Amino acid sequence: MITIKSQDQLESMRKAGKILSDALKLMEEKIKVGMSTYDIDKIGHDYIVSQGAVPSFLNYDGFPGSVCVSIDDEVVHGIPRKTRIIEDGMLVKLDCGAGLNGVHTDAARTVCVGNVSKEKRKLVEVTKQSFFEGVKVIKAGCRLGTLGHVIQSYAESFGFGVVRDLCGHGIGTDVHEDPNIPNYGKEGRGMRLIENMCIAVEPMINLGTYKVMQLDDGWTIVTEDGLASAHYENTMIVLEDGVEIITL
Ligand code: MG
Ligand code: MG
């Protein structure tokens, strides 16, 4: 079911979004070679809690962390672990959520640690830009197929693979609400966005094939060909004539 948020809920989401954005900036700033993915999760978790917000991902469907930390060929849902150490040249994806007064926000960044190859840097840049290309068309009345088409055609024009098995989503009292927001699609198809709908748009773009699979840990999604993947996500409010991004 698609829900339209009240002004009070939107206000709480804006506050949670600011906390989440600051938590991501803090993690990006602190991340360095030799840290474990558990250390990064702790920085994000502690900041969110210190601001009086709730880490939305902790125990979500049983997820054992506050931040999904996914490295290189891991696309999303990497479990923070004390034994997983950050090395020079890695792409580290931080995907995190923060909630306040019963509503949630969700955002992700990809961090280049140390000497990252030129092609991986390009992937990160194109992934982020594909999000902003999508943002250009978002407003009340925009069809989801058009949004997906814009993201897909931008990313594919660089020869990259657009993940299909996972997508963006509505967000509010639950982290994942209807509708699904694919990063691919056909122009002019699909449902129309509605004013004051809250959505998380999150391109997941791969260097090689778009195909992904899940590891035996029941969480981590990896690329089928083992090549790197990048992720960029923000939560936003759909406006009559545009969009307000609340996790930048
Ligand atoms: Mg996310
Ligand atoms: Mg999301």
Side-chain angles (χ1 to χ4, degrees), residues 57 68 76-77 94-97 105-108 169 175-176 200 202 231 233-234:
F57 291 4
C68 296
V76 285
H77 305 164
L94 308 171
D95 189 358
C96 189
T105 54
D106 182 5
H169 47 91
V175 179
H176 296 106
E202 51 179 314
H231 187 200
E233 175 181 26
N234 283 298

mmCIF file of all heavy atoms in Angstrom, residues 57 68 76-77 94-97 105-108 169 175-176 200 202 231 233-234, ligand 1:
data_model
loop_
_atom_site.group_PDB
_atom_site.id
_atom_site.type_symbol
_atom_site.label_atom_id
_atom_site.label_comp_id
_atom_site.label_asym_id
_atom_site.label_seq_id
_atom_site.Cartn_x
_atom_site.Cartn_y
_atom_site.Cartn_z
ATOM 1 N N PHE A 57 18.041 -0.046 10.604
ATOM 2 C CA PHE A 57 18.374 -1.372 10.059
ATOM 3 C C PHE A 57 18.616 -2.425 11.147
ATOM 4 O O PHE A 57 18.541 -3.618 10.867
ATOM 5 C CB PHE A 57 19.639 -1.317 9.186
ATOM 6 C CG PHE A 57 19.473 -0.571 7.889
ATOM 7 C CD1 PHE A 57 18.284 0.079 7.581
ATOM 8 C CD2 PHE A 57 20.513 -0.523 6.978
ATOM 9 C CE1 PHE A 57 18.143 0.775 6.384
ATOM 10 C CE2 PHE A 57 20.384 0.152 5.776
ATOM 11 C CZ PHE A 57 19.200 0.812 5.483
ATOM 12 N N CYS A 68 24.807 -1.492 6.735
ATOM 13 C CA CYS A 68 25.234 -2.538 5.812
ATOM 14 C C CYS A 68 26.554 -2.055 5.226
ATOM 15 O O CYS A 68 26.598 -0.986 4.608
ATOM 16 C CB CYS A 68 24.223 -2.737 4.688
ATOM 17 S SG CYS A 68 22.619 -3.311 5.248
ATOM 18 N N VAL A 76 25.124 -5.074 -1.868
ATOM 19 C CA VAL A 76 24.446 -4.527 -0.679
ATOM 20 C C VAL A 76 24.338 -5.605 0.403
ATOM 21 O O VAL A 76 24.642 -6.775 0.161
ATOM 22 C CB VAL A 76 23.009 -4.024 -1.002
ATOM 23 C CG1 VAL A 76 23.015 -2.702 -1.748
ATOM 24 C CG2 VAL A 76 22.220 -5.078 -1.752
ATOM 25 N N HIS A 77 23.880 -5.171 1.579
ATOM 26 C CA HIS A 77 23.536 -6.040 2.715
ATOM 27 C C HIS A 77 24.721 -6.768 3.327
ATOM 28 O O HIS A 77 24.553 -7.832 3.947
ATOM 29 C CB HIS A 77 22.443 -7.064 2.341
ATOM 30 C CG HIS A 77 21.202 -6.428 1.795
ATOM 31 N ND1 HIS A 77 20.233 -7.115 1.110
ATOM 32 C CD2 HIS A 77 20.771 -5.147 1.819
ATOM 33 C CE1 HIS A 77 19.265 -6.294 0.740
ATOM 34 N NE2 HIS A 77 19.580 -5.084 1.150
ATOM 35 N N LEU A 94 28.393 2.063 2.213
ATOM 36 C CA LEU A 94 27.759 2.260 3.514
ATOM 37 C C LEU A 94 26.283 2.512 3.267
ATOM 38 O O LEU A 94 25.925 3.481 2.593
ATOM 39 C CB LEU A 94 28.369 3.482 4.211
ATOM 40 C CG LEU A 94 29.893 3.514 4.307
ATOM 41 C CD1 LEU A 94 30.356 4.871 4.821
ATOM 42 C CD2 LEU A 94 30.381 2.396 5.220
ATOM 43 N N ASP A 95 25.443 1.633 3.773
ATOM 44 C CA ASP A 95 23.992 1.784 3.590
ATOM 45 C C ASP A 95 23.390 1.776 4.988
ATOM 46 O O ASP A 95 23.617 0.846 5.763
ATOM 47 C CB ASP A 95 23.479 0.613 2.748
ATOM 48 C CG ASP A 95 22.033 0.792 2.326
ATOM 49 O OD1 ASP A 95 21.407 1.807 2.706
ATOM 50 O OD2 ASP A 95 21.522 -0.099 1.617
ATOM 51 N N CYS A 96 22.649 2.829 5.315
ATOM 52 C CA CYS A 96 22.231 3.005 6.700
ATOM 53 C C CYS A 96 20.850 3.654 6.766
ATOM 54 O O CYS A 96 20.406 4.297 5.808
ATOM 55 C CB CYS A 96 23.281 3.888 7.381
ATOM 56 S SG CYS A 96 23.105 4.040 9.157
ATOM 57 N N GLY A 97 20.179 3.482 7.904
ATOM 58 C CA GLY A 97 18.868 4.100 8.098
ATOM 59 C C GLY A 97 18.772 4.736 9.472
ATOM 60 O O GLY A 97 19.413 4.272 10.419
ATOM 61 N N THR A 105 14.319 6.911 7.507
ATOM 62 C CA THR A 105 15.013 7.400 6.311
ATOM 63 C C THR A 105 16.101 6.382 5.973
ATOM 64 O O THR A 105 16.514 5.611 6.840
ATOM 65 C CB THR A 105 15.652 8.779 6.550
ATOM 66 O OG1 THR A 105 16.504 8.705 7.712
ATOM 67 C CG2 THR A 105 14.592 9.851 6.778
ATOM 68 N N ASP A 106 16.576 6.404 4.740
ATOM 69 C CA ASP A 106 17.470 5.363 4.228
ATOM 70 C C ASP A 106 18.389 6.023 3.196
ATOM 71 O O ASP A 106 17.899 6.744 2.312
ATOM 72 C CB ASP A 106 16.572 4.288 3.584
ATOM 73 C CG ASP A 106 17.311 3.090 3.032
ATOM 74 O OD1 ASP A 106 18.533 3.003 3.203
ATOM 75 O OD2 ASP A 106 16.625 2.238 2.419
ATOM 76 N N ALA A 107 19.694 5.811 3.329
ATOM 77 C CA ALA A 107 20.631 6.415 2.371
ATOM 78 C C ALA A 107 21.901 5.586 2.285
ATOM 79 O O ALA A 107 22.243 4.859 3.227
ATOM 80 C CB ALA A 107 20.967 7.853 2.771
ATOM 81 N N ALA A 108 22.596 5.699 1.165
ATOM 82 C CA ALA A 108 23.836 4.935 0.968
ATOM 83 C C ALA A 108 24.875 5.758 0.216
ATOM 84 O O ALA A 108 24.539 6.606 -0.617
ATOM 85 C CB ALA A 108 23.534 3.653 0.202
ATOM 86 N N HIS A 169 12.461 2.103 -3.217
ATOM 87 C CA HIS A 169 11.200 1.749 -2.545
ATOM 88 C C HIS A 169 10.560 2.963 -1.893
ATOM 89 O O HIS A 169 11.233 3.959 -1.613
ATOM 90 C CB HIS A 169 11.511 0.705 -1.463
ATOM 91 C CG HIS A 169 12.697 1.075 -0.599
ATOM 92 N ND1 HIS A 169 12.582 1.796 0.576
ATOM 93 C CD2 HIS A 169 14.028 0.894 -0.778
ATOM 94 C CE1 HIS A 169 13.786 2.001 1.077
ATOM 95 N NE2 HIS A 169 14.700 1.485 0.282
ATOM 96 N N VAL A 175 10.704 0.876 6.792
ATOM 97 C CA VAL A 175 11.861 1.224 5.950
ATOM 98 C C VAL A 175 11.557 0.908 4.479
ATOM 99 O O VAL A 175 11.941 1.662 3.592
ATOM 100 C CB VAL A 175 13.131 0.455 6.392
ATOM 101 C CG1 VAL A 175 14.305 0.818 5.505
ATOM 102 C CG2 VAL A 175 13.464 0.747 7.843
ATOM 103 N N HIS A 176 10.892 -0.193 4.260
ATOM 104 C CA HIS A 176 10.545 -0.573 2.886
ATOM 105 C C HIS A 176 9.036 -0.597 2.715
ATOM 106 O O HIS A 176 8.365 -1.466 3.274
ATOM 107 C CB HIS A 176 11.140 -1.941 2.527
ATOM 108 C CG HIS A 176 12.636 -1.929 2.526
ATOM 109 N ND1 HIS A 176 13.393 -2.513 3.519
ATOM 110 C CD2 HIS A 176 13.525 -1.377 1.669
ATOM 111 C CE1 HIS A 176 14.678 -2.321 3.254
ATOM 112 N NE2 HIS A 176 14.793 -1.647 2.139
ATOM 113 N N ALA A 200 12.817 6.178 -1.531
ATOM 114 C CA ALA A 200 14.272 6.041 -1.524
ATOM 115 C C ALA A 200 14.666 5.566 -2.919
ATOM 116 O O ALA A 200 14.198 4.516 -3.367
ATOM 117 C CB ALA A 200 14.706 5.042 -0.464
ATOM 118 N N GLU A 202 17.752 4.399 -5.317
ATOM 119 C CA GLU A 202 19.066 3.838 -5.016
ATOM 120 C C GLU A 202 19.665 3.004 -6.138
ATOM 121 O O GLU A 202 19.612 1.781 -6.107
ATOM 122 C CB GLU A 202 19.020 3.014 -3.732
ATOM 123 C CG GLU A 202 17.930 1.969 -3.644
ATOM 124 C CD GLU A 202 18.019 1.196 -2.316
ATOM 125 O OE1 GLU A 202 19.126 0.790 -1.937
ATOM 126 O OE2 GLU A 202 16.977 0.994 -1.689
ATOM 127 N N HIS A 231 26.968 1.894 -5.152
ATOM 128 C CA HIS A 231 25.601 2.135 -4.653
ATOM 129 C C HIS A 231 25.517 3.589 -4.202
ATOM 130 O O HIS A 231 26.441 4.097 -3.583
ATOM 131 C CB HIS A 231 25.384 1.191 -3.462
ATOM 132 C CG HIS A 231 23.984 1.168 -2.917
ATOM 133 N ND1 HIS A 231 23.713 0.707 -1.646
ATOM 134 C CD2 HIS A 231 22.784 1.527 -3.453
ATOM 135 C CE1 HIS A 231 22.405 0.773 -1.425
ATOM 136 N NE2 HIS A 231 21.824 1.272 -2.496
ATOM 137 N N GLU A 233 22.306 6.267 -2.651
ATOM 138 C CA GLU A 233 20.880 6.315 -2.283
ATOM 139 C C GLU A 233 20.559 7.526 -1.426
ATOM 140 O O GLU A 233 21.366 7.921 -0.574
ATOM 141 C CB GLU A 233 20.524 5.050 -1.484
ATOM 142 C CG GLU A 233 19.095 5.042 -0.949
ATOM 143 C CD GLU A 233 18.773 3.795 -0.129
ATOM 144 O OE1 GLU A 233 19.699 3.193 0.448
ATOM 145 O OE2 GLU A 233 17.588 3.440 -0.063
ATOM 146 N N ASN A 234 19.385 8.082 -1.651
ATOM 147 C CA ASN A 234 18.838 9.101 -0.748
ATOM 148 C C ASN A 234 17.335 8.926 -0.614
ATOM 149 O O ASN A 234 16.666 8.440 -1.533
ATOM 150 C CB ASN A 234 19.122 10.513 -1.277
ATOM 151 C CG ASN A 234 20.562 10.926 -1.038
ATOM 152 O OD1 ASN A 234 21.026 11.016 0.099
ATOM 153 N ND2 ASN A 234 21.299 11.152 -2.122
HETATM 154 MG MG MG B 1 19.563 1.736 1.884
#
